[in-house]
Amino acid sequence: MSVIQGAPRGVIPGHLLKGQKALVTGANSGIGKATAIGLGRAGADVVVNYVAGRGEAEQVVEEISGFGVRAMAYEADVSQEDQVVAMIERMVQEFGTIDILVANAGLQRDAPFTEMTTAQWQKVLDVNLTGQFLCAREATKEFLRRGVVPEVSHAAGKIICMSSVHQLIPWAGHVNYAASKGGVQMMMETLAQELAPHRIRVNAIAPGAIRTPINRSAWDTPDAEKDLLQLIPYRRVGDPEDIAHAVVGLASDLMDYVVGTTLYVDGGMTLFPGFATGG
Ligand code: BGC
């Protein structure tokens, strides 16, 4: 069977998010980078947050500027309250407001359970969960202040939490990461319930195995990739663009009635592929 192996290209409609202001955290590499570029391609002005890697962030800004929209790199550690507050304040000063938050910044600090240090546990919870909480809270204050502007969007704001298939699939050797993503799911659903009456839509995307630096060892040799593909019924490793496309769609008014949902973008990884031939 001859099949295309990568994410579809050239499928983002250029005016879908015209006039909207988006913040993507952790946007200097991987999923965040592709997402920031995708939002820019769809017509949004974009703040490219990063914590390290200014050069890469500036390159993302340059690429986004090529779409005729505004982009700005901003350094902030999402786990630090004062830095998050300052980032949203600056964005509102520069761009006027925020319409879309993609709470994407995340990391792994893997270790077998009895070897996992408290520092490894805490770091992952701080960035992956507290970071999303802080960014969501500060963005929500601005959504509530501004309210709905019908010419821009049917919603007063959209929050997209970057979760993982590991909000559902337990993951030995990664208890800090899996716990953080389980937390993201319940945080997202609770915020969705609390904020929906204000026309703020909170949703999550749960990527599967996406070809990024975070999981390089899982795909960068033919043997590793072969093992990984056993876990993916669609039989291709995801590209960051696969996630960017989902974010653009979910952030747009095409999905205005989608509230409190996790969209799994995983090539079927959560379908218990082991049972295709067993059970
Ligand atoms: C992790 C990756 C992993 C993928 C599928 C992601 O959330 O960050 O390291 O490859 O889940 O297991």
Side-chain angles (χ1 to χ4, degrees), residues 40-58:
R41 199 183 282 280
D45 296 328
V46 186
V47 174
V48 175
N49 160 260
Y50 66 98
V51 68
R54 176 159 197 98
E56 290 166 303
E58 293 292 359

Side-chain angles (χ1 to χ4, degrees), residues 4 6-12 239-242 245:
I4 294 169
R9 304 291 157 145
V11 294
I12 294 180
D239 285 326
E241 288 72 19
D242 287 306
H245 296 163

Side-chain angles (χ1 to χ4, degrees), residues 21-86:
K21 319 293 176 191
L23 165 62
V24 183
T25 64
N28 54 307
S29 77
I31 287 173
K33 172 181 173 178
T35 295
I37 293 169
L39 291 167
R41 199 183 282 280
D45 296 328
V46 186
V47 174
V48 175
N49 160 260
Y50 66 98
V51 68
R54 176 159 197 98
E56 290 166 303
E58 293 292 359
Q59 276 173 21
V60 175
V61 164
E62 209 178 297
E63 190 166 343
I64 295 172
S65 304
F67 304 128
V69 296
R70 292 180 68 194
M72 168 178 105
Y74 190 95
E75 180 184 338
D77 177 344
V78 294
S79 69
Q80 300 302 312
E81 183 165 24
D82 53 339
Q83 296 183 34
V84 172
V85 169

Side-chain angles (χ1 to χ4, degrees), residues 108 164-166 171 177 208-209 214-215 269:
Q108 291 181 211
S164 164
V165 291
H166 299 297
W171 203 17
Y177 186 83
I214 208 174
N215 61 355
M269 190 176 243

Side-chain angles (χ1 to χ4, degrees), residues 31 107-108 110 163-167 169 171 174 177 181 206-210 212-216 218-219 228 231-232 269:
I31 287 173
L107 45 76
Q108 291 181 211
D110 312 327
S163 187
S164 164
V165 291
H166 299 297
Q167 71 171 30
I169 304 175
W171 203 17
H174 306 79
Y177 186 83
K181 296 303 185 179
I210 308 299
T212 72
I214 208 174
N215 61 355
R216 183 175 297 280
W219 50 261
L228 184 58
L231 300 175
I232 308 171
M269 190 176 243

